[in-house]
Amino acid sequence: MRLNKKIITAFIMLFLSVGTYASEGYKNLFVTITSDSLKVSGMGVAVANAFQEAGVNTTVLVGAEATKLVLKKGKQEAFGPTGKTVREMLVALSKKGGYVMLCGMCAKFGEITKADVVEGVKIVTPNDVAGALLAPSTQSLSF
């Protein structure tokens, strides 16, 4: 219970500060999600959604253990503070104009095809990742 209060407090602080970052010239946010931990990946995707809603162009790269979070199949628990699964939050981000990437090497390793992933997720190359990460006025976060 104590950890949940800390997470909720962190979200409140985040939402209060996102507008400041957007107004200071941060035009792009690149978020890397490699953990399949609900608390870690949920926080990362919730942060990405908050920035997208604040007007920051947000890209999420999903890879490593987190790869399964973009699959159509498989049960996921809701992330407490948002009440949505990570999968649902990624789809919502895409619908708000955010860009959700699945690491192409991870997809190949896991034998994942476009037909296996949820709406809005694009399987990408290292060049696509580099282009998004190195775009001007881009900040990056990793979860």
Side-chain angles (χ1 to χ4, degrees):
M1 185 65 143
R2 188 171 244 204
L3 183 58
N4 285 340
K5 286 184 181 181
K6 288 182 181 181
I7 290 173
I8 291 170
T9 301
F11 269 106
I12 291 169
M13 297 301 292
L14 170 72
F15 291 125
L16 292 174
S17 63
V18 166
T20 303
Y21 289 110
S23 67
E24 290 182 6
Y26 299 112
K27 295 183 172 109
N28 303 297
L29 177 67
F30 187 94
V31 179
T32 304
I33 308 287
T34 57
S35 174
D36 63 353
S37 158
L38 177 60
K39 290 178 182 172
V40 175
S41 61
M43 180 68 152
V45 178
V47 166
N49 272 282
F51 273 83
Q52 184 68 31
E53 289 170 6
V56 176
N57 298 319
T58 305
T59 299
V60 173
L61 171 66
V62 179
E65 286 79 25
T67 300
K68 65 184 176 183
L69 299 174
V70 300
L71 299 177
K72 290 177 184 174
K73 295 182 179 179
K75 184 174 174 15
Q76 290 186 14
E77 291 182 49
F79 179 61
T82 66
K84 296 180 180 178
T85 66
V86 172
R87 180 187 301 132
E88 292 168 334
M89 290 190 291
L90 287 167
V91 169
L93 176 68
S94 176
K95 288 182 177 179
K96 289 183 252 179
Y99 190 52
V100 182
M101 302 174 150
L102 172 60
C103 168
M105 293 179 286
C106 298
K108 186 174 183 177
F109 183 75
E111 299 179 354
I112 298 168
T113 67
K114 177 65 181 155
D116 298 321
V117 299
V118 294
E119 174 188 357
V121 175
K122 297 189 178 35
I123 299 174
V124 298
T125 67
N127 287 342
D128 296 322
V129 173
L133 185 56
L134 298 175
S137 299
T138 299
Q139 296 293 315
S140 64
L141 298 170
S142 296
F143 292 88

